[in-house]
């Protein structure tokens, strides 16, 4: 027994198994997606950036609507979430990804490669608005909202991976 064996629990089970020679492959390998370029799983940084763009755009719209109203902070908070849900749902159904995702070259597709339908988009958006399902993901980078909707966030542009 050496120091690496004792401290391996700090790295987590995946790193420990990788150190023992287990190959998990790249994100998306189990789904038949390419390792990089268009069609590959979108990186966490790119998805987080798209979420920030979406949220701040919705925040600006809600504050413009609620400006000057009584209890404007409370009303704007709920309105921001409602606008976010509406735009994420509508843009995913109509364009294959939210406003921010479209800007950053991300598309939401079924695991089979087709666009999400209305019900799958509604399920995915509803779970995304609950936040917690989006914070729990598998080794392919798919959150619970994607797993339940049978979807995956993929890169649609050939821009450098972030």
């Amino acid at each position: 027994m050496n120091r690496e064996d004792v401290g391996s629990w700090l790295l987590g089970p995946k790193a420990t198994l990788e150190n023992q020679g287990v190959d998990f492959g790249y994100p998306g390998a189990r789904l038949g997606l390419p390792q990089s370029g268009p069609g590959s799983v979108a990186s966490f940084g790119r998805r987080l950036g798209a979420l920030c763009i979406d949220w701040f755009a919705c925040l600006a719209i809600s504050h413009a609507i609620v400006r000057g109203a009584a209890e404007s902070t409370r009303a704007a908070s709920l309105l921001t979430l409602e606008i976010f849900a509406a735009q994420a749902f509508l843009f995913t159904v109509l364009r294959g990804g939210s406003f921010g995702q479209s800007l950053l070259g991300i598309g939401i597709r079924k695991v089979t490669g087709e666009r999400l339908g209305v019900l799958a988009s509604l399920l995915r958006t509803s779970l995304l608005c609950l936040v917690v399902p989006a914070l729990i993901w598998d080794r392919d980078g798919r959150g619970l909202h994607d797993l339940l909707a049978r979807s995956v966030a993929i890169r649609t542009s050939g821009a450098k991976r972030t």
Side-chain angles (χ1 to χ4, degrees):
M1 181 183 295
N2 59 26
R3 183 181 175 110
E4 290 176 6
D5 292 333
V6 174
S8 66
W9 66 274
L10 291 171
L11 300 174
K14 181 180 178 190
T16 302
L17 290 172
E18 285 175 340
N19 288 340
Q20 295 173 0
V22 176
D23 181 22
F24 287 104
Y26 59 88
R30 297 182 306 161
L31 304 173
L33 300 175
Q35 186 169 2
S36 61
S40 64
V41 173
S43 69
F44 176 76
R46 189 178 286 227
R47 289 180 291 152
L48 183 61
L51 178 66
C52 289
I53 290 170
D54 286 335
W55 189 258
F56 286 117
C58 294
L59 189 63
I61 293 168
S62 70
H63 279 286
I65 292 171
V66 180
R67 184 182 317 212
E71 296 184 25
S72 62
T73 305
R74 180 183 234 174
S77 296
L78 184 56
L79 186 59
T80 302
L81 182 60
E82 292 168 351
I83 293 170
F84 174 81
Q87 76 85 21
F89 169 70
L90 290 173
F91 274 73
T92 301
V93 170
L94 299 174
R95 297 187 41 90
S98 70
F99 172 71
Q101 290 169 337
S102 296
L103 284 178
L104 294 185
I106 298 173
I108 305 300
R109 300 287 186 268
K110 289 182 182 178
V111 175
T112 58
E114 303 136 14
R115 274 198 170 161
L116 259 61
V118 173
L119 292 177
S121 294
L122 184 61
L123 173 65
R124 184 181 188 280
T125 302
S126 299
L127 292 171
L128 181 62
C129 288
L130 292 176
V131 178
V132 174
L135 296 176
I136 302 169
W137 60 84
D138 67 2
R139 70 181 189 210
D140 292 316
R142 295 169 61 211
L144 287 179
H145 63 298
D146 279 325
L147 290 170
L148 292 172
R150 294 187 177 105
S151 62
V152 62
I154 60 168
R155 293 179 56 206
T156 58
S157 67
K160 187 176 179 182
R161 189 174 196 144
T162 58

